[in-house]
C-alpha cells in the first residue's frame, strides 16, 4: 500500500513532588476550579501523560498537575509549559525525576504556579538529553552545547532543541509548523549549517492538558459482525462538500449523516484515520486554478501519518477550544449509536509521521517518540543508524517492544472506553505481528508476545454471536518480507480479504486474460473457509470488499482500464498507486459499466462474510480513474452532495440489496455452510450447480473455461423466511440458459433481481418477489455478464 512521506532564557526549576501513592492514599478532597473550567481527575498509577491530581501526602485538596513520560535511555527530561499553542516561548520549565524500575519520568506541580505565570489552558512539551547529547548546565535553546552526535551506536537521537510532543497527550494544539528547511530535523545542508541547533519550541505541536469528559456516547451496539455492513469513509469527505450541513467536514457534520446511513442499510461506519495527523496545511495552497506552480501537492488527506495516538484530529472539530475535539467526537459517536450504528476507526500503529531517514545527512524528523526513546519506539537496523521499513514510510513502529506495545494497547483502550469506539481497522497490520525489535522483520501469529496477540488478550474481541467486546479488523499485509498474511491472523481477528477482492475482480474484468475457476469463485462467495476455517474462525472473519479507499472507486473499477493519477487538480495529480487493478472499462459502453457495477455490488452483498462498502459506492462516485488520491483534499474526493440520475438509481439498487441481505439469515451464516449436521446427518445448506441444472463436480469447478455458476441455499436450515434462495451468475459475454433446481415441495421460484440492462431502474430489486419464473427444471435466459436472484415460496 502506498503512503506518502511527510515531514519531514532563564528557566524556573522546581523540586519534584511525590506522586499519589497507589495504596493507602487519603481520599482526595474536592478540588478547586481549574483555569480551564474542567473537573479534576485522579491519576491512575499506571497511566502516562499529563493529568490533574491531588497533592500527595496532603489533605488540603490543592489541585496539582502531574506529568509522566516513558524513556529508558534519556539522562535528563524537562517539561516546558506554554500559555499559547505557538509563536511564544515557554512560561515555566520543570525537571522530571526517573523511576529506575519503570523508566517513567514524572513531576507534580501546583496549579497555582501555572495560574501565577499566566497559564490558563496548559500547552506543554518535553525536552530530552541522552548519551548522544549529554546535559550541560550551560546549554540554552538554540545552542549545540553538549552535542556529541546526531545518532550514536545505540541508535539514540536525543536533541534538547526539539520540543517533543507527549505520546500520551489527550489533545494536540496544532500540526507541526515552521521553516520548510526542517526545524524538526538535524539535517546538514550544502552550506554546512546544521538544523540540530534550530529550536522548535515556538512552532512545535504541544500537548493540551485535559480531564476526561463525561459526555455520553450512547448505547453501544452489540450486534455480531456477521450481521454488519461496514461503510468505510473519510470523516471530512463525508460532509465537506455539503454547504447545507452545519460544520461540514467535522465530527458534528458526520453526526448529521447517521440517519441517512441507517436508511441506506449501513450498520457500522469505519472512518479513515481520525487520530491526530499532519493535515492542517491541506488548504493553504488551494486555488481555483490548481494546487501549485509545479502541479504537485503535499496534502495528507487520508491521514496515514499519525502524530499522536490518543488525540482526536483537531482539524475535524467544529469546536476548536481545548477539549472541543474530544467532546465533539463523543457526541458524534452517540449520534451513530442512537441509530444502532457501530463506529470503527482506522488506526495506524505500524509507522508514524516522523518517518525514517531519507538521505545521507541524517534528515530524521524529531517530533515525539524518536526524541524520547528512538530504539524503544522504532525497529532499527542492526547498526542502530537507520530504520527497518515494511511500511513505505521509512520506519516500522517497534510493535514487539514493551513501550510501543503498551502505547498501542493504552491508546486502543482509551478510544474504546473514553471515546466510545466499537471496533478498529488496523493499517498494515502485519507489522503488529513482527517478532523483531532490531535488524529484521518476521511475522509470527503464534508468538504470544506480538502486539496482535497482546491486543486480543487486553481488549476482548466481540464474540462470534455478538455481545460486548470490540471488533478487530486487520489489513493483513505490509510491504516486503513475509508480510502478506491473508488468512493467517490469530483467532479473534477479522481480515480484509484481499483474495476475495482479487478473485472477483479478475472474474468480472479479466476473462481470457487472468483465469479464474468456478471453484475459486465459489470459495470466496461462500466465506473463504480455505482461509479462515483451519484455525477456528468463521465466515464473518472474512471482510469482503470490491474496493477500498486506496484504489479505484466501485464505479471506476468498471470504467477505467488503467489509472490516471497525473491529471490536474481537483482529480490529481497523485503519485504512486497500484498498476495492476484487475479493472476494465467494459469496452466503453456506459450501460455495461452500470451492469458490471450492479454485479459487483450484488456479488458482495450475497457473499458469506462481512461486506464493506466505500463511501460513495452506493451512488457510483468516480475519482476520474485516480486510484491513489491520498493527497486530494478536494471537491473531487469528497462525497458528492447530490447523486446523478444513474447514481440515484444505483443507490436504490444497493439499498434494496442491503435490505434483502438483512432479511435473509441464510446469507449471513454464523458457521461455514455444511453438508452434514453436528450428528453427521446429511443436510444441504448450500449446493452448487452448472447452468444445465446438474450439480457442479470437481471437473467443472476446476476448469477455468467455465464461466457460469449457480447455487442454492436451503433457507430452512437458517430459519430464513425464504424456503430457498437461488443465485445464478453468468460471467460469460453471451446469453446463458440456467435450468432451475428444486425450490422445495409445493414451492416455485420468484425473482428478486435480474441485473441485466433490460431491468435497469428503480424497481430492479423487487423485495416482494412478485414475479414467478417457474419451478424445478424451468429455464431462465440470463444475459451476458448478468446475475439472477430468486426466492422460493
Amino acid at each position: 500500500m502506498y503512503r506518502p512521506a511527510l515531514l519531514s532564557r532563564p528557566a524556573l526549576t522546581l523540586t519534584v513532588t511525590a506522586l499519589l501513592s497507589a495504596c493507602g492514599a487519603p481520599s482526595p478532597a474536592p478540588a478547586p476550579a481549574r483555569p480551564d473550567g474542567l473537573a479534576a481527575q485522579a491519576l491512575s498509577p499506571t497511566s502516562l501523560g499529563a493529568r490533574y491530581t491531588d497533592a500527595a501526602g496532603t489533605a488540603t485538596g490543592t489541585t496539582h498537575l502531574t506529568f509522566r513520560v516513558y524513556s529508558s535511555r534519556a539522562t535528563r527530561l524537562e517539561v516546558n509549559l506554554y500559555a499559547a499553542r505557538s509563536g511564544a516561548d515557554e512560561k515555566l520549565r520543570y525537571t522530571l525525576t526517573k523511576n529506575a524500575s519503570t523508566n517513567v519520568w514524572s513531576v507534580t506541580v501546583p496549579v497555582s504556579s501555572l495560574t501565577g505565570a499566566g497559564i490558563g489552558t496548559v500547552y506543554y512539551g518535553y525536552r530530552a538529553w541522552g548519551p548522544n547529547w549529554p546535559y550541560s548546565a550551560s546549554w540554552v535553546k538554540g545552542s549545540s552545547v553538549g552535542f556529541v552526535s546526531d545518532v550514536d551506536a545505540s541508535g539514540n537521537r536525543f536533541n534538547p532543541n526539539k520540543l517533543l510532543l507527549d505520546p500520551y497527550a489527550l489533545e494536540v494544539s496544532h500540526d507541526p509548523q515552521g521553516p520548510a528547511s526542517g526545524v524538526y530535523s538535524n539535517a546538514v545542508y550544502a552550506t554546512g549549517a546544521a538544523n540540530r541547533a534550530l529550536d522548535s519550541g515556538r512552532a512545535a505541536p504541544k500537548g493540551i492538558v485535559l480531564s476526561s469528559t463525561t459526555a455520553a456516547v450512547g448505547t453501544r451496539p452489540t450486534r455480531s459482525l456477521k450481521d454488519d455492513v461496514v461503510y468505510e469513509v473519510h470523516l471530512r469527505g463525508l460532509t465537506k462538500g455539503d454547504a447545507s450541513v452545519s460544520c461540514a467536514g467535522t465530527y458534528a457534520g458526520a453526526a448529521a449523516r447517521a440517519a441517512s446511513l441507517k436508511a441506506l442499510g449501513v450498520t457500522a461506519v469505519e472512518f479513515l484515520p481520525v487520530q491526530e495527523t499532519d493535515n492542517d496545511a491541506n488548504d493553504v495552497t488551494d486555488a481555483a486554478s490548481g494546487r501549485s506552480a509545479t502541479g504537485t501537492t503535499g496534502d495528507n488527506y487520508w491521514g496515514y501519518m499519525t502524530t499522536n495516538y490518543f488525540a482526536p484530529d483537531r482539524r475535524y472539530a467544529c469546536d476548536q477550544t481545548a477539549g472541543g475535539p474530544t467532546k465533539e467526537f463523543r457526541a458524534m459517536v452517540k449520534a451513530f449509536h442512537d441509530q444502532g450504528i457501530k463506529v470503527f476507526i482506522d488506526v495506524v500503529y505500524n509507522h508514524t509521521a516522523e518517518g525514517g531517514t531519507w538521505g545521507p545527512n541524517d534528515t530524521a524528523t524529531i517530533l515525539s517518540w524518536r526524541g524520547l526513546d528512538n530504539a524503544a519506539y522504532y525497529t532499527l537496523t542492526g547498526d542502530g543508524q537507520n530504520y527497518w521499513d515494511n511500511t513505505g514510510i521509512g520506519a516500522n513502529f517497534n510493535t514487539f517492544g514493551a513501550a510501543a506495545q503498551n502505547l498501542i494497547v493504552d491508546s486502543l483502550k482509551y478510544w474504546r472506553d473514553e471515546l466510545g469506539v466499537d471496533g478498529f481497522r488496523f493499517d498494515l497490520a502485519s507489522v503488529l505481528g513482527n517478532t523483531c525489535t532490531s535488524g529484521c522483520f518476521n511475522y509470527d501469529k503464534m508468538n504470544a508476545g506480538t502486539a496482535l496477540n497482546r491486543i486480543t488478550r487486553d481488549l476482548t474481541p466481540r464474540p462470534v454471536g455478538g455481545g460486548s467486546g470490540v471488533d478487530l479488523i486487520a489489513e493483513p499485509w505490509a510491504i516486503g518480507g513475509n508480510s502478506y498474511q491473508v488468512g493467517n491472523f490469530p483467532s479473534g481477528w477479522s481480515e480484509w480479504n484481499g483474495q476475495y477482492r482479487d478473485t472477483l475482480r479478475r472474474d468480472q474484468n479479466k476473462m481470457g486474460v487472468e483465469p479464474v475457476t468456478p471453484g475459486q469463485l465459489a470459495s470466496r462467495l461462500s466465506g473463504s473457509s480455505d482461509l479462515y476455517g483451519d484455525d477456528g474462525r468463521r465466515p464473518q472473519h472474512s471482510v469482503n470488499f470490491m474496493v477500498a479507499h486506496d484504489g479505484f472507486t466501485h464505479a471506476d473499477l468498471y470504467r477505467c482500464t488503467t489509472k490516471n493519477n497525473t491529471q490536474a487538480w481537483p482529480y490529481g495529480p497523485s503519485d504512486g498507486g497500484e498498476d495492476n487493478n484487475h479493472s476494465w472499462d467494459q469496452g466503453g459502453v456506459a450501460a455495461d459499466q452500470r451492469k458490471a457495477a450492479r454485479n459487483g455490488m450484488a456479488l458482495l452483498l450475497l457473499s458469506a462474510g462481512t461486506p464493506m462498502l466505500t463511501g460513495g459506492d452506493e451512488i457510483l462516485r468516480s475519482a476520474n480513474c485516480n486510484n491513489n488520491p491520498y493527497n486530494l483534499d478536494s471537491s473531487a474526493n469528497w462525497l458528492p452532495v447530490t447523486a446523478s440520475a444513474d447514481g440515484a438509481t444505483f443507490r436504490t439498487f444497493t439499498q434494496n440489496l442491503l435490505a434483502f441481505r438483512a432479511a435473509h439469515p441464510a446469507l449471513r451464516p454464523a458457521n461455514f455452510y455444511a453438508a452434514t449436521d453436528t450428528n453427521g446427518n446429511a443436510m444441504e445448506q448450500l449446493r452448487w450447480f452448472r447452468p444445465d441444472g446438474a450439480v457442479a463436480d470437481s471437473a467443472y469447478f476446476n476448469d477455468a473455461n467455465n464461466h457460469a455458476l449457480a447455487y442454492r441455499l436451503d433457507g430452512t436450515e437458517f430459519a430464513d423466511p425464504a424456503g430457498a434462495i437461488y443465485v445464478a451468475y453468468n460471467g460469460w459475454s453471451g446469453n446463458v440458459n440456467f435450468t432451475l433446481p428444486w425450490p422445495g415441495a409445493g414451492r416455485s421460484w420468484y425473482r428478486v433481481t435480474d441485473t441485466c440492462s433490460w431491468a435497469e431502474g428503480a424497481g430492479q430489486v423487487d423485495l416482494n418477489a412478485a414475479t414467478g419464473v417457474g419451478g424445478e427444471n424451468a429455464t431462465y435466459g440470463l444475459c451476458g455478464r448478468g446475475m439472477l436472484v430468486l426466492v422460493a415460496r
Side-chain angles (χ1 to χ4, degrees), residues 451-686:
L452 290 178
N453 287 307
R454 169 83 182 278
I455 288 167
T456 57
R457 288 195 302 271
D458 288 7
L459 286 90
T460 304
R462 195 182 311 280
V464 169
S468 61
V470 292
D471 296 301
L472 302 173
I473 301 171
E475 182 185 36
W477 50 77
I479 297 174
N482 63 334
S483 63
Y484 185 82
Q485 296 293 336
V486 174
N488 195 34
F489 269 63
S491 178
W493 284 87
S494 299
E495 303 174 22
W496 274 18
N497 190 343
Q499 292 195 32
Y500 179 97
R501 172 199 61 197
D502 295 344
T503 299
L504 269 68
R505 284 186 176 194
R506 292 188 350 253
D507 191 84
Q508 277 196 276
N509 293 326
K510 296 297 177 180
M511 183 174 62
V513 179
E514 298 182 34
V516 175
T517 68
Q520 291 170 324
L521 186 64
S523 292
R524 301 299 155 244
L525 297 176
S526 60
S528 296
S529 62
D530 57 327
L531 298 176
Y532 305 106
D534 60 343
D535 55 10
R537 289 188 287 171
R538 312 290 180 84
Q540 70 180 55
H541 293 111
S542 174
V543 176
N544 301 327
F545 65 109
M546 296 298 295
V547 300
H549 67 275
D550 54 343
F552 283 140
T553 67
H554 188 85
D556 286 353
L557 178 63
Y558 308 106
R559 290 176 176 171
C560 311
T561 301
T562 59
K563 69 181 183 182
N564 180 16
N565 296 1
T566 59
Q567 58 193 300
W569 181 263
Y571 287 101
S574 304
D575 55 355
E578 176 61 50
D579 292 323
N580 186 13
N581 298 281
H582 311 299
S583 62
W584 179 43
D585 70 355
Q586 316 301 310
V589 179
D592 287 349
Q593 292 169 353
R594 296 193 299 273
K595 179 176 66 175
R598 289 193 294 272
N599 288 339
M601 185 64 71
L603 288 165
L604 176 65
L605 298 183
L606 296 170
S607 296
T610 304
M612 183 186 79
L613 288 66
T614 298
D617 283 357
E618 74 278 13
I619 55 172
L620 297 176
R621 180 178 76 89
S622 172
N624 269 19
C625 303
N626 187 332
N627 75 345
N628 195 45
Y630 71 93
N631 58 335
L632 302 181
D633 196 348
S634 74
S635 58
N637 221 10
W638 306 330
L639 268 63
V641 177
T642 57
S644 66
D646 288 338
T649 298
F650 193 77
R651 187 187 192 282
T652 300
F653 176 85
T654 302
Q655 182 180 35
N656 286 337
L657 271 184
L658 284 168
F660 182 75
R661 178 181 180 87
H664 293 281
L667 299 172
R668 301 175 278 108
N671 300 296
F672 292 105
Y673 296 118
T676 60
D677 62 21
T678 55
N679 296 318
N681 300 314
M683 61 180 182
E684 190 181 276
Q685 289 186 338
L686 170 66

Side-chain angles (χ1 to χ4, degrees), residues 175-314:
D175 284 355
Q177 301 173 346
S181 58
V183 70
Y184 304 102
S185 81
N186 295 338
V188 179
Y189 290 90
T191 60
N195 280 5
R196 72 174 66 92
L198 292 180
D199 184 73
S200 67
R202 291 189 171 199
K206 300 166 182 67
I208 301 177
V209 182
L210 298 177
S211 292
S212 294
T213 177
T214 57
V217 296
T219 302
R220 300 172 187 255
T222 59
R223 184 174 44 249
S224 170
L225 191 63
K226 76 178 182 65
D227 297 322
D228 276 327
V229 175
V230 180
Y231 189 84
E232 185 208 35
V233 68
H234 192 286
L235 188 138
R236 175 173 164 88
L238 180 59
T239 62
K240 180 58 181 173
D242 191 348
S244 69
V245 174
S246 177
C247 294
T250 68
Y251 304 120
R257 285 287 191 266
S260 62
L261 288 178
K262 179 182 180 180
L264 176 63
V266 168
T267 67
V269 61
E270 179 180 302
F271 290 117
L272 268 65
V274 293
Q275 294 172 332
E276 188 65 57
T277 191
D278 183 18
N279 59 0
D280 282 356
N282 282 11
D283 294 335
V284 172
T285 56
D286 282 351
S289 60
R291 294 298 283 168
S292 70
T294 61
T296 60
T297 171
D299 279 4
N300 172 28
Y301 176 62
W302 283 347
Y304 291 90
M305 299 299 288
T306 313
T307 55
N308 178 275
Y309 289 117
F310 290 81
D313 196 326
R314 183 166 297 278

